Amino acid sequence: MAATTAARSRLREYFHTEYQPGERKLVQKIDFFILTFCCLSYFTNYLDRSNLNNAYVSGMKEDLGFVGNQLNEITTCFTVGYVIGQIPANLSLHYIKPRYFFPACMLVWAGLTMVTASVHDPQSIMAIRFFQGIAEATTFVGTHYILGSWYTERELGKRSGIFTASGLAGTMIGGFIQTGIHSSLDGRNGLRGWRWLFIMDGIITLPIALYGFLFFPDTPLTTKAFYLTDSEKALAVSRVPPVEDRSPVSWRFFKNTFSSWLFWGFVVLWIIAGETESFSSNALLALYMKSHPTIKYSVPQLNNYPTGVPAVGIVATIFWATLTDFLNGKRYLVGYFIAITGVATSAMILAASKDPTNPESTSVVFGAYYWAGAVYACQATFFAWANDALRYEEHMFRAIVLAGMNLGSNAVNAWWSIVFYGASMAPWFTRGMWAMIAVSILLAIWTAALSYTTAKHEKLRRAELAQSSGLGDQKSVTEDA
């Protein structure tokens, strides 16, 4: 009975947060202007990425004469550009206002997306995707830096989850968009449906960039948003811990950053966790269907059936982001869930490959890939975990750790996808299944170690902040006397 009462009390407290005067209105405003722009930006970002795979199974492979693992090589070119752009992009946020920088990057990738409609060989796409990777580098880690700058620890998980889910929505809806374009525009003005897909993707992006330029509020310390009052701007600054904000371009900064255990702890965490997303990020279900041993799927089926993967990812992301907020920031729990998911789904596919022509084998594989979509939950929760743990550190140190996490993961993924999940390995990707089991086990171990060390670190930093605040108050009293 006592446990039930305590649980109800926790739920009531969670859903009825006590705010300072004016704070609820402030949160509502930044929710609207930050989340709408960031979510729409990430939606178009992932729409572009996923539609390369949709185009591949909708005629681009045959029209451009793809052979071997050229699709994976295109992904690698994008990843190389993406990796190169990570740290410079987040450092740029110290010198260029986000409301200028984010929309400018969007305009570049929108233009490159539309140019993709004119290509005549896979090599041209490789060059385009490299520069697209650079332009898109800031979207994910830059947004997580902004979210960590505005939101408190109790608010951050849900917002990170909503942001990440918007990207998954782009992946999911991309399949339906390609199906609609293929049926309505294929052959219009002499262009195949997959070419129209890239044109439409670019057009959709342009008004969102304009919206960001006009309304994005930058950070609490630099905002000049017309819709925030002076008191709201001051309140926004007071909601996050006061930390020293120095220029990041210095030997001291880089030396301290790259020798910090916090940097390497979270970078390695996301390198491992990023590879647990390999089933979904490499579109393995679509490739499995394209190379199915007995069934020939239609173009609409090839585009629509895999949308169940990001749909599961959206549900899992929102669920875990909200749950870890409710559990006072226990983000590490997601690591154990993902480890179990990775081992179980790999084992299911390995078992199905033993009898590939059995109809039950197909059902098992579909079930495994849909379940594997739940691993996307680690994106929001692990980056929120990093923001939580680095809340008392320099702003740009936090920005570089977030960028380093994505840099490390994508640097490994640039060759990981070719070695373990090449398109020529379809439909079973046996080598990749064993790799997934290995990284899932490693993730559980690393999560346990990092959760222990970050808990000790946060406790120490909170005590230091409390002590410094106490000394500051004592000094102020003495001076007044």
Side-chain angles (χ1 to χ4, degrees), residues 256-266 397 450 453-455 457:
N256 291 346
T257 297
F258 297 121
S259 61
S260 168
W261 69 266
L262 279 168
F263 177 85
W264 293 108
F266 281 104
F397 175 69
L450 189 61
T453 52
T454 54
H457 173 76

Side-chain angles (χ1 to χ4, degrees), residues 85-210:
Q86 290 292 302
I87 289 180
N90 259 20
L91 283 175
S92 297
L93 296 176
H94 187 82
Y95 300 101
I96 306 173
K97 289 189 174 183
R99 77 181 184 95
Y100 299 140
F101 190 68
F102 287 162
C105 290
M106 291 185 70
L107 291 175
V108 172
W109 93 56
L112 291 170
T113 299
M114 289 187 279
V115 168
T116 308
S118 67
V119 301
H120 297 287
D121 54 66
Q123 289 75 18
S124 299
I125 302 180
M126 292 178 190
I128 292 170
R129 298 298 276 193
F130 169 78
F131 291 105
Q132 269 188 292
I134 295 175
E136 294 184 18
T138 191
T139 307
F140 184 74
V141 294
T143 297
H144 277 291
Y145 169 71
I146 294 296
L147 294 178
S149 299
W150 283 94
Y151 290 106
T152 65
E153 190 172 356
R154 194 168 182 79
E155 301 163 344
L156 184 59
K158 289 190 294 296
R159 275 73 180 184
S160 298
I162 292 169
F163 165 68
T164 303
S166 68
L168 297 175
T171 303
M172 182 177 70
I173 294 172
F176 295 112
I177 290 176
Q178 174 59 21
T179 299
I181 289 175
H182 189 270
S183 62
S184 61
L185 292 178
D186 190 32
R188 180 75 60 89
N189 295 330
L191 294 180
R192 291 293 307 276
W194 64 264
R195 294 186 186 274
W196 279 111
L197 179 65
F198 290 114
I199 294 172
M200 299 305 293
D201 282 354
I203 292 173
I204 289 170
T205 305
L206 298 177
I208 300 169
L210 177 61

Side-chain angles (χ1 to χ4, degrees), residues 218-434:
D218 297 319
T219 66
L221 289 171
T222 62
T223 186
K224 289 182 170 58
F226 66 88
Y227 48 82
L228 295 178
T229 65
D230 290 340
S231 61
E232 287 174 334
K233 292 173 184 176
L235 179 59
V237 173
S238 70
R239 280 164 34 90
V240 293
V243 295
E244 191 174 14
D245 190 23
R246 305 174 185 173
S247 172
V249 182
S250 68
W251 170 249
R252 181 203 66 83
F253 174 80
F254 287 112
K255 180 181 178 182
N256 291 346
T257 297
F258 297 121
S259 61
S260 168
W261 69 266
L262 279 168
F263 177 85
W264 293 108
F266 281 104
V267 166
V268 173
L269 175 73
W270 191 239
I271 288 175
I272 301 168
E275 298 316 321
T276 65
E277 296 181 349
S278 293
F279 287 0
S280 305
S281 61
N282 289 290
L284 297 197
L285 179 55
L287 295 175
Y288 166 77
M289 294 170 63
K290 186 80 172 175
S291 305
H292 197 280
T294 59
I295 302 173
K296 183 173 178 60
Y297 292 95
S298 66
V299 169
Q301 288 174 323
L302 289 168
N303 282 299
N304 292 342
Y305 288 2
T307 59
V309 177
V312 172
I314 290 171
V315 174
T317 296
I318 298 297
F319 171 79
W320 280 103
T322 303
L323 180 64
T324 55
D325 270 358
F326 174 70
L327 296 175
N328 297 320
K330 293 183 172 64
R331 321 285 185 196
Y332 58 85
L333 294 176
V334 179
Y336 303 130
F337 166 74
I338 290 169
I340 294 169
T341 297
V343 172
T345 53
S346 300
M348 289 168 66
I349 296 170
L350 287 170
S353 69
K354 303 299 182 184
D355 191 8
T357 59
N358 188 329
E360 292 183 3
S361 168
T362 301
S363 299
V364 169
V365 172
F366 268 80
Y369 280 129
Y370 286 147
W371 180 9
V375 304
Y376 276 124
C378 66
Q379 288 188 6
T381 49
F382 282 176
F383 277 81
W385 185 7
N387 264 320
D388 289 343
L390 302 171
R391 190 169 293 276
Y392 303 98
E393 310 299 326
E394 290 181 49
H395 294 307
M396 278 294 102
F397 175 69
R398 179 168 56 85
I400 297 306
V401 172
L402 295 171
M405 290 168 68
N406 227 25
L407 185 157
S409 175
N410 283 277
V412 172
N413 198 53
W415 55 267
W416 190 274
S417 61
I418 294 176
V419 173
F420 295 109
Y421 303 103
S424 60
M425 299 176 191
W428 298 112
F429 306 98
T430 303
R431 187 190 302 169
M433 298 304 132
W434 289 109

